[in-house]
Amino acid sequence: MKAFYKKHILDFKRPSGTSRGVLTQKETYFLTITDGEKQGIGECGLLKTLSFDDRPDYEDTLQWVCDNISLGEEYLLKKLPEFPSIQFGVEQAFRSLISDNEYILFASDFTLGKASIPINGLIWMGSPEFMKSQIKEKLEQGFRCIKMKIGAIAFEQEYEILKNLRKEFSVQDIEIRVDANGAFSAEEALEKLKRLSELELHSIEQPIKANQIEKMAELCQKTPLPIALDEELIGVIRFSDKKRLLEAINPQYIIIKPSLLGGYKNSEEWISLAEKQNIGWWITSALESNIGLNAIAQWTFSLNNPMPQGLGTGALYTNNIASPLSVQKGFLEYNPNVNWEKIF
């Protein structure tokens, strides 16, 4: 058994704004395992400035994985708790290796093209005109759930956009989620949540920056608008710490991003703990290429969560890996008659 990795720079079709800055490129790594004539592939989806494993020894660690691939999946995962995106790539690659088709990690009606996954349409930050044009585009494409990034331009401008959207479309017409990426200060957050709740939004992700446990717990207790934890989960490795965090904050939802949380097994720990506390959850990609998105989507379908998932990132790049994945009228579909683009 042998392994190697390849770095790939993904280019955004247009600059994409978040509260942490504007993205034009995203680097990722493909991990390939070979065993005789069989091949398995996984994506280590590092997200600069956000991933817990964004550190100088990242590629050295990837090379260590390749050099020691014969030690097996379980051993490698135990040695990689501080590298969640590599853990996920390892999980994918080994599951791919034992599959009859290296791209079918979880065979289902989804991979047969008989079922699809409801997803939200993502609205990036930018000028009011740009954000309005994106909303119009998503609605014309048939989305019935949109997620709008907020926190980069003036709150009043963002509020007006949302207010006008809600005037035109009722809760029955469109579900609106917002993602602040920690943009609000703890002092102003509750008042802003009260105003946003008047617009009958579904939820808000990470209203304040992570690692303010007491303040986030107080917000979740008092908020009139359901709160979903996102960045708050990153870097929490041990099961006992995950349990303690959810018990301390008791949010309404958590967001599961396998590339940031250490893959399938670690993500399933979060889901299990959340369900025991009656905390809702949904799955979101973290700007992976179609390799990683495919791995996340197939797993997500197996979990039978009927909520719209955050899996609409496949069309962001000019140089993504051509795949059977496509978005049709607000649903992610897999067409088994379409071939994957060869990477190597």
Side-chain angles (χ1 to χ4, degrees):
M1 188 182 297
K2 298 180 180 179
F4 62 94
Y5 75 88
K6 178 182 179 182
K7 184 176 181 178
H8 183 66
I9 303 297
L10 293 159
D11 296 315
F12 281 82
K13 290 179 179 176
R14 56 191 180 192
S16 300
T18 75
S19 60
R20 292 185 299 273
V22 177
L23 303 174
T24 58
Q25 289 186 323
K26 195 259 182 192
E27 66 183 48
T28 198
Y29 298 83
F30 299 127
L31 174 66
T32 299
I33 305 174
T34 59
D35 189 3
E37 295 184 359
K38 296 214 68 178
Q39 174 176 292
I41 186 167
E43 180 172 358
C44 302
L46 179 70
L47 197 52
K48 287 288 188 182
T49 75
L50 184 59
S51 293
F52 182 57
D53 44 8
D54 178 16
R55 40 190 280 184
D57 58 346
Y58 188 87
E59 287 199 52
D60 290 339
T61 303
L62 257 179
Q63 187 58 54
W64 176 85
V65 168
C66 294
D67 294 341
N68 293 277
I69 201 69
S70 61
L71 296 174
E73 178 182 5
E74 186 176 347
Y75 178 87
L76 294 172
L77 292 178
K78 285 181 179 179
K79 292 292 184 180
L80 296 166
E82 296 183 355
F83 293 88
S85 65
I86 298 179
Q87 284 183 315
F88 188 33
V90 167
E91 277 186 324
Q92 293 171 56
F94 272 100
R95 182 172 281 271
S96 169
L97 183 67
I98 63 174
S99 174
D100 292 334
N101 179 326
E102 65 184 290
Y103 297 105
I104 304 297
L105 280 63
F106 295 83
S108 67
D109 281 349
F110 175 69
T111 57
L112 290 173
K114 296 179 179 179
S116 55
I117 302 171
I119 62 173
N120 62 246
L122 184 57
I123 309 301
W124 292 92
M125 292 176 178
S127 67
E129 293 73 23
F130 174 57
M131 295 174 82
K132 288 175 188 175
S133 71
Q134 290 180 82
I135 291 170
K136 181 182 178 183
E137 180 181 272
K138 296 301 179 188
L139 295 176
E140 289 175 349
Q141 290 171 352
F143 284 91
R144 287 296 170 259
C145 175
I146 63 169
K147 170 182 162 180
M148 180 170 146
K149 296 271 190 181
I150 62 174
I153 63 176
F155 177 76
E156 292 302 328
Q157 288 181 305
E158 293 170 336
Y159 182 83
E160 281 301 311
I161 292 172
L162 289 164
K163 183 179 177 181
N164 290 331
L165 179 62
R166 183 52 83 211
K167 278 182 180 178
E168 189 172 353
F169 299 97
S170 70
V171 175
Q172 289 70 39
D173 293 327
I174 192 80
E175 179 180 290
I176 306 173
R177 303 170 178 175
V178 292
D179 182 3
N181 287 128
F184 300 164
S185 71
E187 293 72 29
E188 68 183 1
L190 185 58
E191 187 58 37
K192 288 185 174 180
L193 295 184
K194 287 177 180 177
R195 291 192 62 197
L196 289 169
S197 71
E198 297 168 0
L199 305 178
E200 299 182 276
L201 307 184
H202 174 271
S203 58
I204 181 169
E205 293 181 34
Q206 203 69 41
I208 63 175
K209 284 184 170 60
N211 302 316
Q212 303 179 81
I213 307 299
E214 291 184 6
K215 291 177 180 178
M216 184 66 89
E218 183 180 359
L219 261 187
C220 289
Q221 183 180 14
K222 295 180 178 179
T223 183
L225 175 62
I227 291 174
L229 300 187
D230 183 355
E231 289 92 334
E232 203 75 60
L233 311 185
I234 297 171
V236 182
I237 297 171
R238 292 183 298 184
F239 182 85
S240 59
D241 291 336
K242 295 173 185 176
K243 186 172 184 289
R244 191 177 299 113
L245 179 74
L246 292 186
E247 288 176 347
I249 297 179
N250 195 28
Q252 286 73 34
Y253 295 99
I254 60 172
I255 308 297
I256 304 296
K257 295 178 177 176
S259 289
L260 301 182
L261 301 182
Y264 300 129
K265 294 176 183 177
N266 285 305
S267 295
E268 286 167 3
E269 279 189 355
W270 280 111
I271 290 171
S272 175
L273 287 168
E275 289 181 340
K276 287 177 181 175
Q277 280 188 235
N278 294 315
I279 296 169
W281 55 272
W282 67 88
I283 312 296
T284 299
S285 56
L287 304 181
E288 298 87 356
S289 77
N290 280 333
I291 298 294
L293 179 61
N294 174 62
I296 296 170
Q298 292 183 27
W299 170 69
T300 298
F301 184 82
S302 75
L303 300 176
N304 296 311
N305 184 331
M307 296 178 68
Q309 309 295 310
L311 304 176
T313 56
L316 291 176
Y317 305 113
T318 60
N319 59 339
N320 206 340
I321 309 303
S323 79
L325 296 170
S326 66
V327 177
Q328 304 293 334
K329 297 183 178 179
F331 288 82
L332 183 66
E333 299 182 351
Y334 189 99
N335 185 344
N337 297 316
V338 174
N339 293 325
W340 280 87
E341 176 185 347
K342 292 293 183 183
I343 302 175
F344 307 110

